[in-house]
Amino acid sequence: MSQFETGRFETGRFEFDWVDAFSDRAFGGNGCAVVHAAAHLPEAVCTAYVRETSLVECTFTGPSDIADIKVRYFLASREIPFAGHPTIATVAAMRDRGLIGEGEVVLETGAGLVPVTIDGDLIEMTQVQPVFGICPDPGLVAAAVSLPVEAIVGAPQKVSTGLPFCITVLRDQAALKAARLDLTALAKLGQALGADGIDMMEPFLVTLNGATEAGDTYARLLMAPPSPPEDPFTGSATGAMAAYLWRHGLMSKDSFVAEQGHGLGRPGKARVTRIGSADDLQGVKVAGKGFVLMRGSVDLPDQL
């Protein structure tokens, strides 16, 4: 007899906000559903909710003993320690509900404490000190995104400012547009990067010119199932990408504009600022806006 037949499920009603992060308008940037006062729910329920929304990530908030609020981050497949656009979305949702005002709020995340500053409609998060990992064979990276190895500039590298990505600079936007994920080759790259088989470490592809005149970089993140095929804007990867560019002398500005999502019809942008010098980075600040698109309530079970 199933749990549905025995009636052992308990359902709670939770308030949520659907926020387009790294955008100041509807249907721009990257969407995220923020479920309030629901951080106690189990992973299976939270990931099922992400799949139901067809979004890349959702957050679930709750009380914290060490910060202003606890935030848990979920993909369709698993919980992750941190993510950028859901951080912007969570703070935008709290601000819209009058739960916080201008100034600083500190989030408890799986990657540690994340300070966030609110200045008008601009939300700026301080990502943790970059961790630079191994440089995989460029041939493995090129195969994972169906490009010739000559399309890659320099050496791709595993970098994390809270969540690891394989940062890969491409020679031009033609190569960026042509990239297509090869899941078999991606699995081999993931093994080389020490991924656990679930997180296959998709390359974060970036070019050193913007999608518009306002941008300094333009990027894409192709994603493996069960996530959507492409992420419209990736705040955590943007921080890691910026750290890579500064460390390798590919970005002369202390602060620059990163763009992503234009090819999907969901243009997004972030202001990225370094903390410390290029050869001694202490952290990365990533700032953007959030547009609250929908507000409502959702009934979620306490188990699956």
Side-chain angles (χ1 to χ4, degrees), residues 2-22:
S2 73
Q3 288 174 306
F4 285 102
E5 293 171 313
T6 60
R8 285 181 287 180
F9 280 104
E10 292 184 9
T11 300
R13 178 162 294 182
F14 302 92
E15 295 296 308
F16 79 91
D17 296 298
W18 187 301
V19 183
D20 287 336
F22 291 107

Side-chain angles (χ1 to χ4, degrees), residues 9-279:
F9 280 104
E10 292 184 9
T11 300
R13 178 162 294 182
F14 302 92
E15 295 296 308
F16 79 91
D17 296 298
W18 187 301
V19 183
D20 287 336
F22 291 107
S23 177
D24 59 0
R25 64 170 180 85
F27 315 126
N30 201 349
C32 173
V34 181
V35 186
H36 300 276
H40 61 281
L41 292 174
E43 181 175 0
V45 172
C46 297
T47 54
Y49 179 75
V50 179
R51 292 192 294 273
E52 187 76 5
T53 66
S54 297
L55 292 165
V56 175
E57 290 149 335
C58 297
T59 62
F60 293 72
T61 71
S64 172
D65 294 328
I66 58 174
D68 295 302
I69 192 166
K70 180 177 182 178
V71 184
R72 296 177 67 194
Y73 302 80
F74 291 90
L75 297 168
S77 58
R78 69 195 186 283
E79 183 172 6
I80 56 176
F82 173 77
H85 92 268
T87 297
I88 299 295
T90 299
V91 174
M94 293 171 62
R95 176 74 184 279
D96 187 69
R97 287 179 175 264
L99 300 174
I100 56 175
E102 290 207 15
E104 185 176 271
V105 60
V106 179
L107 310 182
E108 177 191 349
T109 77
L113 299 181
V114 176
V116 180
T117 302
I118 305 116
D119 183 8
D121 57 357
L122 191 66
I123 300 167
E124 184 173 64
M125 60 184 149
T126 301
Q127 298 180 1
V128 299
Q129 185 174 18
V131 176
F132 296 92
I134 64 172
C135 294
D137 181 348
L140 287 177
V141 181
V145 291
S146 307
L147 291 176
V149 70
E150 294 79 14
I152 295 175
V153 176
Q157 187 171 20
K158 178 180 177 181
V159 185
S160 175
T161 54
L163 192 66
F165 292 89
C166 182
I167 306 301
T168 305
V169 178
L170 298 183
R171 66 189 178 197
D172 53 38
Q173 291 192 13
L176 185 68
K177 182 178 181 180
R180 298 290 183 271
L181 208 58
D182 182 311
L183 294 179
T184 300
L186 177 63
K188 295 178 181 178
L189 174 63
Q191 292 174 355
L193 290 167
D196 62 9
I198 300 174
D199 177 1
M200 294 201 292
M201 204 75 68
E202 296 96 338
F204 189 67
L205 308 174
V206 60
T207 58
L208 298 176
N209 44 62
T212 72
E213 290 184 359
D216 296 293
T217 63
Y218 180 40
R220 295 179 69 196
L221 179 67
L222 308 176
M223 304 189 75
S227 293
E230 184 169 347
D231 198 22
F233 201 98
T234 320
S236 50
T238 296
M241 173 268 292
Y244 174 96
L245 296 183
W246 283 317
R247 183 181 179 96
H248 293 280
L250 297 174
M251 176 58 65
S252 59
K253 297 180 179 179
D254 295 340
S255 182
F256 68 91
V257 174
E259 295 183 319
Q260 189 180 343
H262 294 64
L264 298 174
R266 298 191 62 95
K269 68 177 181 178
R271 184 188 71 196
V272 192
T273 307
R274 75 186 188 201
I275 303 172
S277 63
D279 56 359

